[in-house]
Amino acid sequence: MRVLRASVLMTALLSGPAFAQSPHINMLADKPGKTQEEIEKQQAIEKAYKDTLRTIPDAARSNDPWSGVRNEGQPKASAKNKAKSRLGATGTAN
């Protein structure tokens, strides 16, 4: 009898998460469909939203806050220049 109770308990515990994942579909509609006025109102809202999106300018520039600070004409430091800058004037590490 204990084995039967234990197996029923294990089955219940293991089937709980599987039951929670199953879709619970309500076949009956809770409320009637939209009226013509509601459909027109929704379409007007969507049209206004799309018109607003068209007024936003395109992001042609880069979104780099340091772009005005950097020197465009200055060459980038290479690995050789970095190694020399760490060495002292005599060529030895300090």
Side-chain angles (χ1 to χ4, degrees):
M1 192 65 166
R2 283 186 181 172
V3 174
L4 180 62
R5 275 192 262 174
S7 64
V8 169
L9 178 64
M10 289 298 291
T11 304
L13 289 175
L14 292 175
S15 65
F19 179 73
Q21 293 178 7
S22 66
H24 299 287
I25 300 172
N26 185 5
M27 294 297 202
L28 300 174
D30 292 339
K31 59 182 180 178
K34 292 183 179 181
T35 64
Q36 187 63 27
E37 291 176 359
E38 291 173 339
I39 292 171
E40 290 172 358
K41 183 179 177 182
Q42 186 67 30
Q43 288 175 346
I45 291 171
E46 289 177 10
K47 184 180 182 304
Y49 173 72
K50 288 179 182 178
D51 291 341
T52 304
L53 287 179
R54 285 188 197 117
T55 61
I56 297 174
D58 292 333
R61 289 186 356 178
S62 170
N63 192 15
D64 184 14
W66 289 93
S67 62
V69 178
R70 291 194 188 106
N71 229 356
E72 294 295 328
Q74 184 177 0
K76 294 182 179 180
S78 65
K80 285 183 179 179
N81 293 343
K82 288 181 182 177
K84 288 182 182 177
S85 65
R86 281 186 273 160
L87 298 177
T90 61
T92 59
N94 290 341

Coordinates of all heavy atoms in Angstrom, one line a residue:
M1 N 0.8 -1.2 0.0 CA 0.0 0.0 0.0 C 0.9 1.3 0.0 O 0.5 2.2 -0.6 CB -0.9 -0.1 1.2 CG -2.0 1.0 1.2 SD -3.1 0.6 -0.1 CE -4.4 1.5 0.2
R2 N 2.0 1.2 0.7 CA 2.9 2.4 0.7 C 3.5 2.6 -0.7 O 3.6 3.8 -1.1 CB 4.0 2.1 1.7 CG 3.6 2.3 3.1 CD 4.8 2.2 4.0 NE 4.5 2.4 5.4 CZ 5.3 2.2 6.4 NH1 6.5 1.8 6.2 NH2 4.9 2.4 7.6
V3 N 3.8 1.6 -1.4 CA 4.4 1.7 -2.7 C 3.4 2.3 -3.6 O 3.7 3.2 -4.4 CB 4.8 0.3 -3.2 CG1 5.3 0.4 -4.7 CG2 5.9 -0.3 -2.3
L4 N 2.1 2.0 -3.5 CA 1.0 2.5 -4.3 C 0.9 4.0 -4.0 O 0.8 4.8 -5.0 CB -0.3 1.8 -4.1 CG -1.5 2.3 -4.9 CD1 -1.2 2.1 -6.4 CD2 -2.7 1.6 -4.5
R5 N 0.9 4.4 -2.8 CA 0.7 5.8 -2.4 C 1.9 6.6 -2.9 O 1.8 7.7 -3.4 CB 0.6 6.0 -0.9 CG -0.8 5.8 -0.4 CD -0.9 6.3 1.0 NE -0.9 5.1 1.8 CZ -0.9 5.0 3.1 NH1 -0.8 6.2 3.8 NH2 -0.8 3.9 3.8
A6 N 3.1 6.0 -2.7 CA 4.3 6.7 -3.2 C 4.3 6.9 -4.7 O 4.7 8.0 -5.2 CB 5.6 5.9 -2.7
S7 N 3.9 5.9 -5.4 CA 3.9 6.0 -6.9 C 2.8 7.0 -7.3 O 3.0 7.8 -8.3 CB 3.6 4.7 -7.5 OG 2.3 4.2 -7.2
V8 N 1.7 7.1 -6.7 CA 0.6 8.1 -7.0 C 1.2 9.5 -6.7 O 1.0 10.4 -7.5 CB -0.7 7.8 -6.2 CG1 -1.6 9.0 -6.3 CG2 -1.3 6.5 -6.7
L9 N 1.8 9.7 -5.6 CA 2.4 10.9 -5.2 C 3.5 11.4 -6.2 O 3.5 12.5 -6.6 CB 3.0 10.9 -3.8 CG 3.7 12.1 -3.3 CD1 2.6 13.3 -3.1 CD2 4.4 11.9 -1.9
M10 N 4.3 10.5 -6.6 CA 5.4 10.8 -7.6 C 4.7 11.2 -8.9 O 5.2 12.1 -9.6 CB 6.4 9.7 -7.7 CG 7.2 9.4 -6.6 SD 8.3 10.8 -6.2 CE 9.4 10.8 -7.6
T11 N 3.7 10.5 -9.3 CA 3.1 10.8 -10.6 C 2.4 12.2 -10.5 O 2.5 12.9 -11.5 CB 2.0 9.7 -10.9 OG1 2.6 8.4 -10.9 CG2 1.3 10.0 -12.2
A12 N 1.8 12.5 -9.4 CA 1.1 13.8 -9.2 C 2.2 14.9 -9.3 O 2.0 16.0 -9.9 CB 0.3 13.8 -8.0
L13 N 3.3 14.7 -8.6 CA 4.3 15.7 -8.5 C 5.0 15.9 -9.9 O 5.3 17.1 -10.3 CB 5.4 15.4 -7.5 CG 5.0 15.5 -6.0 CD1 6.1 15.0 -5.1 CD2 4.6 16.9 -5.7
L14 N 5.2 14.9 -10.6 CA 5.8 15.0 -11.9 C 4.9 15.5 -13.0 O 5.3 16.1 -14.0 CB 6.4 13.7 -12.4 CG 7.6 13.2 -11.5 CD1 8.1 11.8 -11.9 CD2 8.8 14.2 -11.6
S15 N 3.6 15.3 -12.9 CA 2.7 15.7 -13.9 C 2.2 17.2 -13.7 O 1.6 17.8 -14.6 CB 1.4 14.8 -13.9 OG 0.7 14.9 -12.7
G16 N 2.5 17.7 -12.5 CA 2.1 19.1 -12.3 C 2.7 20.1 -13.2 O 2.0 20.9 -13.8
P17 N 4.0 20.1 -13.4 CA 4.6 21.1 -14.4 C 4.2 20.8 -15.8 O 4.0 21.8 -16.6 CB 6.1 20.8 -14.2 CG 6.3 20.2 -12.9 CD 5.0 19.4 -12.6
A18 N 3.9 19.6 -16.2 CA 3.5 19.3 -17.5 C 2.1 19.8 -17.7 O 1.7 20.4 -18.8 CB 3.5 17.8 -17.8
F19 N 1.2 19.7 -16.7 CA -0.2 20.3 -16.8 C -0.1 21.8 -16.9 O -0.9 22.4 -17.6 CB -1.0 19.8 -15.6 CG -2.4 20.4 -15.6 CD1 -3.3 19.9 -16.5 CD2 -2.7 21.4 -14.8 CE1 -4.6 20.4 -16.6 CE2 -4.0 21.9 -14.8 CZ -5.0 21.4 -15.7
A20 N 0.8 22.4 -16.2 CA 0.9 23.9 -16.2 C 1.3 24.4 -17.6 O 1.0 25.5 -17.9 CB 1.9 24.4 -15.1
Q21 N 2.0 23.6 -18.4 CA 2.5 24.1 -19.7 C 1.5 23.9 -20.8 O 1.6 24.4 -21.8 CB 3.8 23.3 -20.0 CG 4.9 23.7 -19.2 CD 6.2 22.9 -19.6 OE1 6.2 22.1 -20.5 NE2 7.2 23.0 -18.8
S22 N 0.4 23.1 -20.5 CA -0.6 22.9 -21.5 C -1.4 24.2 -21.8 O -1.7 24.9 -20.8 CB -1.5 21.7 -21.1 OG -2.3 22.1 -20.0
P23 N -1.8 24.4 -23.0 CA -2.5 25.7 -23.3 C -4.0 25.5 -22.8 O -4.6 24.5 -23.0 CB -2.5 25.8 -24.8 CG -2.3 24.3 -25.3 CD -1.5 23.7 -24.2
H24 N -4.4 26.6 -22.2 CA -5.8 26.6 -21.7 C -6.6 27.5 -22.6 O -6.5 28.8 -22.5 CB -5.9 27.1 -20.3 CG -5.1 26.2 -19.3 ND1 -5.6 25.0 -18.9 CD2 -3.9 26.4 -18.7 CE1 -4.7 24.4 -18.1 NE2 -3.7 25.3 -17.9
I25 N -7.2 27.0 -23.6 CA -7.9 27.7 -24.6 C -9.4 27.8 -24.3 O -10.1 26.8 -24.0 CB -7.7 27.1 -26.0 CG1 -6.3 27.0 -26.4 CG2 -8.5 27.9 -27.1 CD1 -5.9 26.3 -27.6
N26 N -9.9 29.0 -24.3 CA -11.3 29.3 -24.0 C -12.0 29.4 -25.4 O -11.8 30.3 -26.1 CB -11.5 30.6 -23.2 CG -12.9 30.8 -22.8 OD1 -13.8 29.9 -23.1 ND2 -13.2 31.9 -22.2
M27 N -12.8 28.4 -25.7 CA -13.5 28.4 -27.0 C -14.6 29.4 -27.1 O -15.0 29.8 -28.2 CB -14.0 27.0 -27.4 CG -12.9 26.0 -27.5 SD -11.8 26.4 -28.9 CE -11.1 24.9 -29.2
L28 N -15.1 29.8 -26.0 CA -16.2 30.8 -26.1 C -15.7 32.2 -26.0 O -14.8 32.5 -25.1 CB -17.2 30.5 -24.9 CG -17.8 29.1 -24.9 CD1 -18.6 29.0 -23.6 CD2 -18.7 29.0 -26.1
A29 N -16.2 33.1 -26.7 CA -15.7 34.5 -26.7 C -16.3 35.1 -25.4 O -17.5 35.0 -25.1 CB -16.2 35.2 -27.9
D30 N -15.4 35.9 -24.7 CA -15.9 36.5 -23.5 C -16.7 37.7 -23.8 O -17.6 38.1 -23.0 CB -14.7 36.9 -22.7 CG -13.9 35.7 -22.1 OD1 -14.5 34.7 -22.0 OD2 -12.7 35.9 -21.8
K31 N -16.5 38.4 -24.9 CA -17.3 39.6 -25.3 C -17.5 39.6 -26.8 O -16.8 38.9 -27.6 CB -16.6 40.8 -24.9 CG -15.2 41.0 -25.5 CD -14.5 42.3 -25.0 CE -13.2 42.4 -25.6 NZ -12.5 43.6 -25.2
P32 N -18.5 40.3 -27.2 CA -18.8 40.3 -28.7 C -17.7 41.0 -29.4 O -16.8 41.7 -28.9 CB -20.1 41.1 -28.8 CG -20.1 41.9 -27.5 CD -19.4 41.1 -26.5
G33 N -17.6 40.8 -30.8 CA -16.6 41.4 -31.6 C -16.6 42.9 -31.6 O -17.6 43.5 -31.1
K34 N -15.7 43.5 -32.3 CA -15.6 45.0 -32.3 C -16.7 45.5 -33.2 O -17.0 44.9 -34.3 CB -14.2 45.4 -32.8 CG -13.1 45.1 -31.8 CD -11.8 45.7 -32.3 CE -10.7 45.4 -31.3 NZ -9.4 46.0 -31.8
T35 N -17.2 46.7 -32.9 CA -18.2 47.4 -33.7 C -17.4 48.1 -34.8 O -16.2 48.3 -34.8 CB -19.0 48.3 -32.9 OG1 -18.2 49.4 -32.4 CG2 -19.8 47.6 -31.8
Q36 N -18.2 48.6 -35.8 CA -17.5 49.3 -36.9 C -16.9 50.6 -36.4 O -15.8 51.0 -36.9 CB -18.6 49.7 -38.0 CG -18.0 50.3 -39.2 CD -17.1 49.4 -40.0 OE1 -17.2 48.1 -39.9 NE2 -16.2 49.9 -40.7
E37 N -17.5 51.3 -35.4 CA -16.9 52.5 -34.9 C -15.5 52.2 -34.2 O -14.6 52.9 -34.3 CB -17.8 53.1 -33.8 CG -19.1 53.7 -34.5 CD -20.0 54.2 -33.4 OE1 -19.7 54.1 -32.2 OE2 -21.1 54.7 -33.8
E38 N -15.5 51.1 -33.5 CA -14.2 50.7 -32.8 C -13.1 50.3 -33.8 O -12.0 50.7 -33.6 CB -14.5 49.5 -31.8 CG -15.3 49.9 -30.6 CD -15.7 48.6 -29.8 OE1 -15.6 47.5 -30.4 OE2 -16.0 48.8 -28.6
I39 N -13.5 49.7 -34.9 CA -12.6 49.3 -35.9 C -12.0 50.6 -36.6 O -10.8 50.7 -36.8 CB -13.2 48.4 -37.0 CG1 -13.5 47.0 -36.3 CG2 -12.3 48.2 -38.2 CD1 -14.4 46.1 -37.2
E40 N -12.9 51.6 -36.9 CA -12.5 52.8 -37.5 C -11.6 53.6 -36.6 O -10.6 54.2 -37.0 CB -13.7 53.6 -37.9 CG -14.5 53.0 -39.1 CD -15.8 53.8 -39.4 OE1 -16.1 54.7 -38.6 OE2 -16.4 53.4 -40.3
K41 N -11.9 53.6 -35.3 CA -11.1 54.3 -34.3 C -9.7 53.7 -34.2 O -8.7 54.4 -34.2 CB -11.8 54.3 -32.9 CG -11.1 55.0 -31.9 CD -11.8 55.0 -30.5 CE -11.1 55.7 -29.4 NZ -11.8 55.6 -28.1
Q42 N -9.6 52.4 -34.2 CA -8.4 51.7 -34.1 C -7.5 52.0 -35.4 O -6.3 52.2 -35.3 CB -8.6 50.2 -34.0 CG -7.3 49.4 -33.8 CD -6.6 49.7 -32.5 OE1 -7.3 50.0 -31.5 NE2 -5.3 49.6 -32.4
Q43 N -8.2 52.0 -36.6 CA -7.5 52.3 -37.8 C -6.9 53.8 -37.8 O -5.8 54.0 -38.3 CB -8.4 52.1 -39.0 CG -8.6 50.6 -39.3 CD -9.6 50.4 -40.4 OE1 -10.3 51.3 -40.8 NE2 -9.7 49.2 -40.9
A44 N -7.7 54.7 -37.2 CA -7.3 56.1 -37.1 C -6.1 56.2 -36.2 O -5.1 57.0 -36.5 CB -8.4 57.0 -36.6
I45 N -6.1 55.5 -35.1 CA -5.0 55.5 -34.2 C -3.7 55.0 -34.9 O -2.6 55.5 -34.7 CB -5.3 54.7 -32.9 CG1 -6.4 55.4 -32.1 CG2 -4.1 54.4 -32.1 CD1 -6.9 54.6 -30.9
E46 N -3.9 53.8 -35.6 CA -2.7 53.3 -36.3 C -2.2 54.2 -37.4 O -1.0 54.3 -37.6 CB -3.1 51.9 -36.9 CG -3.3 50.8 -35.8 CD -3.8 49.5 -36.4 OE1 -3.7 49.4 -37.7 OE2 -4.1 48.6 -35.7
K47 N -3.1 54.9 -38.1 CA -2.6 55.8 -39.1 C -1.9 57.0 -38.5 O -0.8 57.4 -39.0 CB -3.8 56.3 -39.9 CG -3.5 57.2 -41.1 CD -4.7 57.7 -41.8 CE -4.4 58.6 -43.0 NZ -3.6 59.7 -42.7
A48 N -2.4 57.5 -37.4 CA -1.7 58.6 -36.7 C -0.3 58.2 -36.2 O 0.7 58.9 -36.3 CB -2.5 59.1 -35.5
Y49 N -0.2 56.9 -35.7 CA 1.1 56.4 -35.3 C 2.1 56.3 -36.4 O 3.2 56.7 -36.3 CB 0.8 55.0 -34.6 CG 2.1 54.3 -34.2 CD1 2.9 54.7 -33.2 CD2 2.5 53.2 -35.0 CE1 4.0 54.1 -32.8 CE2 3.7 52.6 -34.6 CZ 4.4 53.0 -33.6 OH 5.6 52.3 -33.2
K50 N 1.6 55.8 -37.5 CA 2.5 55.6 -38.7 C 2.9 57.0 -39.2 O 4.1 57.2 -39.6 CB 1.8 54.8 -39.8 CG 1.7 53.3 -39.4 CD 1.0 52.5 -40.5 CE 0.9 51.1 -40.1 NZ 0.2 50.3 -41.1
D51 N 2.0 58.0 -39.2 CA 2.3 59.3 -39.7 C 3.4 60.0 -38.8 O 4.3 60.7 -39.2 CB 1.1 60.2 -39.8 CG 0.2 59.8 -40.9 OD1 0.6 59.1 -41.8 OD2 -1.0 60.2 -40.8
T52 N 3.3 59.7 -37.5 CA 4.2 60.2 -36.5 C 5.6 59.6 -36.7 O 6.6 60.3 -36.6 CB 3.7 59.9 -35.1 OG1 2.4 60.5 -34.9 CG2 4.7 60.5 -34.0
L53 N 5.6 58.3 -37.0 CA 6.9 57.7 -37.3 C 7.6 58.2 -38.5 O 8.8 58.3 -38.6 CB 6.7 56.2 -37.4 CG 6.4 55.4 -36.2 CD1 6.2 53.9 -36.5 CD2 7.5 55.6 -35.1
R54 N 6.8 58.6 -39.5 CA 7.4 59.2 -40.7 C 8.0 60.6 -40.5 O 8.9 61.0 -41.2 CB 6.3 59.3 -41.8 CG 5.9 58.0 -42.4 CD 5.0 58.2 -43.6 NE 4.4 56.9 -43.9 CZ 3.1 56.7 -43.8 NH1 2.2 57.6 -43.5 NH2 2.6 55.5 -44.1
T55 N 7.5 61.3 -39.5 CA 8.1 62.6 -39.2 C 9.4 62.6 -38.5 O 10.1 63.6 -38.5 CB 7.1 63.5 -38.4 OG1 6.9 62.8 -37.1 CG2 5.8 63.7 -39.1
I56 N 9.8 61.4 -37.9 CA 11.0 61.3 -37.2 C 12.1 61.3 -38.2 O 12.1 60.4 -39.2 CB 11.0 60.1 -36.3 CG1 10.0 60.2 -35.3 CG2 12.4 59.9 -35.7 CD1 9.8 58.9 -34.4
P57 N 13.2 62.1 -38.1 CA 14.2 62.1 -39.1 C 15.1 60.8 -39.0 O 15.2 60.2 -38.0 CB 15.1 63.3 -38.8 CG 14.8 63.6 -37.4 CD 13.4 63.1 -37.1
D58 N 15.7 60.5 -40.1 CA 16.5 59.3 -40.2 C 17.8 59.6 -39.4 O 18.3 60.7 -39.4 CB 16.9 58.9 -41.6 CG 15.7 58.4 -42.3 OD1 14.8 57.9 -41.7 OD2 15.7 58.5 -43.6
A59 N 18.4 58.6 -38.8 CA 19.6 58.8 -38.0 C 20.8 58.6 -39.0 O 21.3 57.5 -39.1 CB 19.7 57.8 -36.9
A60 N 21.1 59.7 -39.7 CA 22.2 59.6 -40.6 C 23.6 59.7 -39.9 O 24.6 59.1 -40.4 CB 22.1 60.7 -41.7
R61 N 23.6 60.4 -38.8 CA 24.9 60.5 -38.1 C 25.1 59.4 -37.1 O 24.2 58.7 -36.7 CB 24.8 61.8 -37.2 CG 24.9 63.1 -38.0 CD 25.0 64.2 -37.1 NE 24.9 63.9 -35.7 CZ 25.0 64.8 -34.7 NH1 25.2 66.0 -35.0 NH2 24.9 64.4 -33.5
S62 N 26.3 59.2 -36.8 CA 26.7 58.2 -35.8 C 26.3 58.7 -34.4 O 26.4 59.9 -34.2 CB 28.2 57.9 -35.9 OG 28.6 57.2 -34.8
N63 N 26.0 57.9 -33.5 CA 25.6 58.3 -32.2 C 26.9 58.2 -31.3 O 26.9 57.4 -30.3 CB 24.5 57.4 -31.7 CG 23.9 57.9 -30.4 OD1 24.2 59.1 -30.0 ND2 23.2 57.1 -29.7
D64 N 27.9 58.9 -31.7 CA 29.2 58.9 -31.0 C 29.4 60.2 -30.2 O 29.6 61.2 -30.8 CB 30.3 58.6 -31.9 CG 31.7 58.5 -31.3 OD1 31.7 58.3 -30.0 OD2 32.7 58.5 -32.0
P65 N 29.3 60.2 -28.9 CA 29.4 61.4 -28.1 C 30.8 62.0 -28.2 O 31.0 63.2 -28.0 CB 29.0 61.1 -26.7 CG 29.2 59.6 -26.6 CD 29.0 59.1 -28.0
W66 N 31.8 61.3 -28.5 CA 33.2 61.8 -28.5 C 33.6 62.1 -29.9 O 34.8 62.4 -30.2 CB 34.1 60.7 -27.9 CG 34.0 60.5 -26.5 CD1 33.2 59.6 -25.9 CD2 34.6 61.3 -25.5 NE1 33.2 59.8 -24.5 CE2 34.1 60.8 -24.2 CE3 35.5 62.3 -25.5 CZ2 34.5 61.3 -23.0 CZ3 35.9 62.9 -24.2 CH2 35.4 62.4 -23.0
S67 N 32.7 62.2 -30.9 CA 33.2 62.4 -32.3 C 33.7 63.8 -32.4 O 34.6 64.0 -33.3 CB 32.0 62.2 -33.2 OG 31.0 63.1 -32.9
G68 N 33.3 64.8 -31.7 CA 33.8 66.1 -31.8 C 35.1 66.3 -31.1 O 35.9 67.3 -31.3
V69 N 35.5 65.4 -30.2 CA 36.7 65.5 -29.4 C 37.9 64.9 -30.1 O 39.0 65.4 -30.0 CB 36.5 64.9 -28.0 CG1 37.7 65.0 -27.2 CG2 35.3 65.6 -27.3
R70 N 37.7 63.9 -30.9 CA 38.8 63.1 -31.5 C 39.4 63.9 -32.6 O 38.7 64.7 -33.3 CB 38.2 61.8 -32.1 CG 37.9 60.9 -31.0 CD 37.7 59.5 -31.6 NE 37.2 58.6 -30.6 CZ 35.9 58.2 -30.5 NH1 35.1 58.5 -31.4 NH2 35.5 57.4 -29.6
N71 N 40.6 63.7 -32.9 CA 41.4 64.4 -34.0 C 41.3 63.5 -35.2 O 41.9 62.4 -35.1 CB 42.8 64.6 -33.5 CG 43.3 66.0 -33.8 OD1 42.5 66.8 -34.4 ND2 44.5 66.3 -33.4
E72 N 40.6 63.9 -36.2 CA 40.5 63.0 -37.4 C 41.8 62.9 -38.2 O 42.1 61.9 -38.8 CB 39.4 63.5 -38.3 CG 38.0 63.5 -37.7 CD 37.6 62.0 -37.5 OE1 37.9 61.1 -38.2 OE2 36.8 61.8 -36.5
G73 N 42.6 64.0 -38.2 CA 43.8 64.0 -39.0 C 45.0 63.2 -38.3 O 46.0 62.9 -39.0
Q74 N 45.0 63.0 -37.0 CA 46.1 62.4 -36.3 C 46.1 60.9 -36.6 O 45.1 60.2 -36.4 CB 45.9 62.7 -34.8 CG 47.1 62.2 -34.0 CD 46.9 62.6 -32.5 OE1 45.9 63.2 -32.2 NE2 47.8 62.1 -31.7
P75 N 47.2 60.3 -36.9 CA 47.3 58.9 -37.2 C 47.1 58.1 -35.9 O 47.5 58.6 -34.8 CB 48.6 58.7 -37.8 CG 49.5 59.8 -37.4 CD 48.5 61.0 -37.2
K76 N 46.6 57.0 -35.9 CA 46.4 56.1 -34.7 C 47.8 55.6 -34.3 O 48.7 55.3 -35.1 CB 45.5 55.0 -35.0 CG 44.1 55.5 -35.3 CD 43.1 54.3 -35.5 CE 41.7 54.8 -35.7 NZ 40.8 53.8 -35.9
A77 N 48.0 55.4 -33.0 CA 49.2 54.9 -32.5 C 49.3 53.4 -32.8 O 48.4 52.6 -32.7 CB 49.3 55.1 -31.0
S78 N 50.5 53.0 -33.3 CA 50.7 51.6 -33.7 C 51.3 50.9 -32.5 O 51.7 51.5 -31.5 CB 51.6 51.5 -34.9 OG 52.9 52.0 -34.6
A79 N 51.5 49.6 -32.6 CA 52.1 48.8 -31.5 C 53.5 49.2 -31.3 O 54.0 49.2 -30.1 CB 52.0 47.3 -31.8
K80 N 54.3 49.6 -32.3 CA 55.7 50.0 -32.1 C 55.7 51.3 -31.3 O 56.6 51.4 -30.4 CB 56.3 50.3 -33.5 CG 56.7 49.1 -34.3 CD 57.4 49.5 -35.6 CE 57.8 48.4 -36.4 NZ 58.5 48.8 -37.6
N81 N 54.9 52.3 -31.6 CA 54.9 53.5 -30.9 C 54.6 53.3 -29.4 O 55.1 54.0 -28.5 CB 53.9 54.5 -31.5 CG 54.4 55.0 -32.9 OD1 55.6 54.8 -33.2 ND2 53.5 55.5 -33.6
K82 N 53.6 52.4 -29.1 CA 53.3 52.2 -27.7 C 54.4 51.5 -27.0 O 54.7 51.8 -25.8 CB 52.0 51.3 -27.7 CG 50.8 52.0 -28.1 CD 49.6 51.0 -28.0 CE 48.3 51.7 -28.5 NZ 47.2 50.8 -28.4
A83 N 55.1 50.6 -27.6 CA 56.3 49.9 -27.0 C 57.4 50.9 -26.7 O 58.0 50.9 -25.6 CB 56.8 48.8 -27.9
K84 N 57.7 51.8 -27.6 CA 58.7 52.8 -27.4 C 58.3 53.8 -26.3 O 59.2 54.3 -25.5 CB 59.0 53.6 -28.7 CG 59.7 52.8 -29.7 CD 60.0 53.6 -30.9 CE 60.7 52.8 -32.0 NZ 60.9 53.6 -33.2
S85 N 57.1 54.2 -26.2 CA 56.7 55.1 -25.2 C 56.8 54.6 -23.8 O 57.0 55.3 -22.8 CB 55.2 55.6 -25.5 OG 54.3 54.5 -25.3
R86 N 56.7 53.3 -23.6 CA 56.9 52.7 -22.3 C 58.3 52.6 -21.9 O 58.7 52.5 -20.7 CB 56.3 51.3 -22.3 CG 54.8 51.3 -22.1 CD 54.2 49.9 -22.0 NE 54.0 49.4 -23.3 CZ 53.9 48.1 -23.6 NH1 54.0 47.2 -22.7 NH2 53.6 47.7 -24.8
L87 N 59.2 52.6 -22.8 CA 60.6 52.5 -22.5 C 61.2 53.9 -22.3 O 60.7 54.9 -22.8 CB 61.4 51.9 -23.7 CG 61.0 50.4 -24.0 CD1 61.8 50.0 -25.3 CD2 61.3 49.5 -22.9
G88 N 62.2 54.0 -21.5 CA 62.8 55.3 -21.2 C 63.6 55.8 -22.4 O 63.7 55.2 -23.4
A89 N 64.3 56.9 -22.2 CA 65.1 57.5 -23.3 C 66.2 56.7 -23.7 O 66.7 56.7 -24.8 CB 65.5 58.9 -22.9
T90 N 66.7 55.9 -22.7 CA 67.9 55.0 -23.0 C 67.5 53.7 -23.6 O 68.4 52.9 -24.0 CB 68.7 54.7 -21.7 OG1 67.8 54.1 -20.8 CG2 69.2 56.0 -21.1
G91 N 66.2 53.4 -23.7 CA 65.8 52.2 -24.3 C 65.6 51.1 -23.3 O 65.4 49.9 -23.6
T92 N 65.7 51.4 -22.0 CA 65.4 50.4 -20.9 C 64.2 50.8 -20.2 O 63.8 51.9 -20.1 CB 66.6 50.3 -20.0 OG1 66.8 51.6 -19.4 CG2 67.9 49.9 -20.7
A93 N 63.6 49.8 -19.6 CA 62.4 50.0 -18.8 C 62.8 50.7 -17.5 O 63.8 50.5 -16.9 CB 61.7 48.7 -18.5
N94 N 61.9 51.6 -17.1 CA 62.1 52.4 -15.8 C 61.9 51.5 -14.6 O 61.1 50.8 -14.4 CB 61.3 53.6 -15.8 CG 61.8 54.7 -16.8 OD1 62.9 54.6 -17.2 ND2 60.9 55.6 -17.1

